[in-house]
Amino acid sequence: MKENIIDLNVNELKPGMVVAKEIQEDKKVLISKDVIITDAILMKLKSLYILEKVSVYIDSDSDKIEYKKQDAKQELENVEYTFNEICLSLHETFNKIKNLRSDVIKEVRELTKQLQNEVKDPNIIINDIVFYGSGKDSIYRHGINVAAISNLLGMWLKLDENKIKLLTYSALLHDVGKTKIDDEIFNKPESLTKNDYKIVKSHPILGYNIVKEFTFLDKSVSQGILMHHEREDGSGYPLGIKGDKICEFAKIIAIADVFDAINSNRSYRKKKSPFEAIQIIKKESFGKLDYNYCNVFLSHILNYYMGREVFLNTNKQAKIIQMDINELDRPLLFVDDEFLDLKEHKELYIEKFIL
């Protein structure tokens, strides 16, 4: 039995499984090798946000492969279903905001709680956003995805629990101002006109003016909404401020906003590949997005990309072995029983991940 090992996400673990490699945090052993996982141990592991994989024993190689395939698909379906349910609730919440209902903040808190219950495993969330994105829904499902990514980045930046909660409020509501703009603009199949774009660029102020009126809500939430399109070099909107003038929440939401938008189909363009997405984040970290926050984001995202099965433009299947932070879209692959460095084969590129 103990000859086969599989690396599982924490949410995939079940009581009775046996730990194959000791689990450490800050160079301290938390759980030793060959320990049987109990309910208490499982709760402890789920509380460790930085823990992404646990090695356990499994009966056979065939069981290992089948387990991973079935479980990955089921996980993706489950989180997609949950996100869509939360999305419907967010739509209703935004309608109540427009009608000035007083119970809105209670609903935002509940949606945040639901969302945070889903984001304890970063791999599942990144998987969902890479495979599905937010589609053509640039308000509600986009808001859910941006909130999920912002929540993860907040944890990776080691923000305290209350700050992460407020950050998630701000991310959920970051595009609430779009509800004040004609839907026809967002549903156009062609690129926006200059006048359309001018109208769209008003949504941070519209959203800020709505949310700042909520009583007993920390001002950091409305500021994150107001500034999420500001850029480090002052090229953003609506204020054109730069650097330290941009609040912390806005810097985080900006990265999440860009990542989801790139990974999503829109009425006027198709989604980019997962590698184009991280390449754009890397490029924009020089002058547009916060450099340090981008580095933290990318370092964790790269862990998700490593070991993934992919299809090349030749329709060949390959596995990602190593990635270069300076050329994120040209990793080292293993294909046809040999290594293939995409940096040396410019005619080849990765088309998509394999689930």
Side-chain angles (χ1 to χ4, degrees):
M1 169 185 171
K2 294 188 178 181
E3 293 179 357
N4 295 288
I5 296 174
I6 184 172
D7 292 331
L8 297 179
N9 296 319
V10 174
N11 286 352
E12 298 172 335
L13 299 175
K14 294 178 177 60
M17 289 181 170
V18 180
V19 176
K21 297 177 184 177
E22 67 179 26
I23 301 168
Q24 296 185 358
E25 183 183 33
D26 296 330
K27 297 183 179 180
K28 294 181 180 179
V29 177
L30 298 179
I31 300 171
S32 299
K33 180 183 175 183
D34 294 332
V35 168
I36 297 173
I37 295 175
T38 62
D39 287 325
I41 288 175
L42 203 50
M43 287 181 65
K44 182 178 182 180
L45 292 175
K46 287 182 177 179
S47 70
L48 300 173
Y49 288 127
I50 62 169
L51 189 63
E52 295 184 351
K53 295 285 184 181
V54 174
S55 299
V56 296
Y57 294 112
I58 199 163
D59 289 339
S60 68
D61 286 334
S62 59
D63 286 344
K64 183 190 296 187
I65 294 168
E66 193 58 31
Y67 185 98
K68 287 184 103 171
K69 285 182 178 178
Q70 290 180 359
D71 202 65
K73 288 179 181 178
Q74 188 60 53
E75 281 179 344
L76 196 58
E77 288 174 7
N78 289 346
V79 76
E80 181 64 9
Y81 175 82
T82 303
F83 273 18
N84 283 332
E85 288 293 302
I86 300 174
C87 178
L88 292 174
S89 299
L90 185 64
H91 197 160
E92 293 174 6
T93 300
F94 276 23
N95 285 334
K96 290 179 181 179
I97 288 174
K98 286 196 294 185
N99 295 325
L100 302 177
R101 289 277 296 273
S102 60
D103 58 345
V104 164
I105 293 304
K106 182 180 178 182
E107 292 194 11
V108 171
R109 290 191 180 111
E110 182 57 36
L111 288 176
T112 295
K113 186 177 179 181
Q114 290 179 43
L115 192 66
Q116 289 183 319
N117 286 335
E118 292 296 318
V119 301
K120 290 185 177 179
D121 186 339
N123 288 294
I124 301 174
I125 303 307
I126 302 303
N127 214 15
D128 183 79
I129 291 169
V130 166
F131 276 93
Y132 292 110
S134 49
K136 295 180 180 179
D137 182 356
S138 63
I139 300 179
Y140 309 105
R141 180 53 198 270
H142 174 63
I144 299 300
N145 287 0
V146 169
I149 301 168
S150 296
N151 193 283
L152 286 177
L153 184 48
M155 291 190 294
W156 294 336
L157 291 168
K158 302 187 185 306
L159 301 186
D160 65 52
E161 188 176 333
N162 187 58
K163 245 187 178 180
I164 291 174
K165 191 179 296 183
L166 292 171
L167 167 64
T168 309
Y169 295 168
S170 188
L172 274 173
L173 299 171
H174 81 281
D175 275 346
V176 67
K178 288 182 178 178
T179 62
K180 296 289 188 180
I181 297 172
D182 194 330
D183 286 342
E184 287 186 7
I185 290 180
F186 298 109
N187 295 328
K188 278 189 171 185
E190 68 274 3
S191 298
L192 300 181
T193 65
K194 285 185 178 180
N195 189 55
D196 290 337
Y197 190 50
K198 183 178 180 181
I199 294 171
V200 169
K201 286 171 69 174
S202 69
H203 79 267
I205 291 178
L206 294 172
Y208 171 76
N209 287 334
I210 293 169
V211 175
K212 73 174 184 178
E213 299 301 324
F214 295 165
T215 54
F216 308 114
L217 186 62
D218 195 276
K219 65 180 183 179
S220 62
V221 176
S222 57
Q223 287 178 343
I225 293 167
L226 176 64
M227 301 181 195
H228 73 274
H229 278 292
E230 301 294 346
R231 293 297 180 259
E232 294 295 311
D233 60 1
S235 63
Y237 63 88
L239 305 176
I241 56 179
K242 61 174 70 174
D244 292 341
K245 297 291 184 182
I246 305 169
C247 71
E248 182 179 41
F249 287 0
K251 289 172 182 271
I252 294 171
I253 293 170
I255 294 170
D257 186 35
V258 170
F259 187 72
D260 181 64
I262 297 167
N263 277 294
S264 303
N265 288 312
R266 292 290 188 250
S267 58
Y268 54 90
R269 61 151 176 81
K270 289 185 178 181
K271 66 185 291 184
K272 304 284 188 182
S273 78
F275 286 88
E276 288 179 281
I278 57 173
Q279 191 68 27
I280 289 171
I281 296 288
K282 178 66 177 176
K283 181 181 178 181
E284 297 217 342
S285 72
F286 297 104
K288 301 294 184 184
L289 301 173
D290 185 277
Y291 181 80
N292 292 325
Y293 290 0
C294 284
N295 274 353
V296 172
F297 178 75
L298 289 172
S299 67
H300 283 82
I301 294 295
L302 293 191
N303 288 335
Y304 164 80
Y305 280 42
M306 292 288 288
R308 294 300 304 237
E309 301 281 342
V310 296
F311 275 126
L312 298 175
N313 58 313
T314 58
N315 210 35
K316 279 191 175 183
Q317 190 169 330
K319 186 174 185 177
I320 300 172
I321 302 299
Q322 190 177 58
M323 296 187 67
D324 182 348
I325 192 67
N326 296 311
E327 290 191 73
L328 293 169
D329 57 344
R330 314 302 297 174
L332 176 67
L333 305 176
F334 190 69
V335 55
D336 292 338
D337 294 324
E338 60 183 25
F339 292 105
L340 176 69
D341 191 343
L342 289 189
K343 289 197 287 290
E344 298 174 2
H345 295 272
K346 301 298 184 182
E347 76 281 4
L348 300 177
Y349 59 88
I350 293 170
E351 283 202 330
K352 61 181 179 180
F353 283 144
I354 300 171
L355 181 59

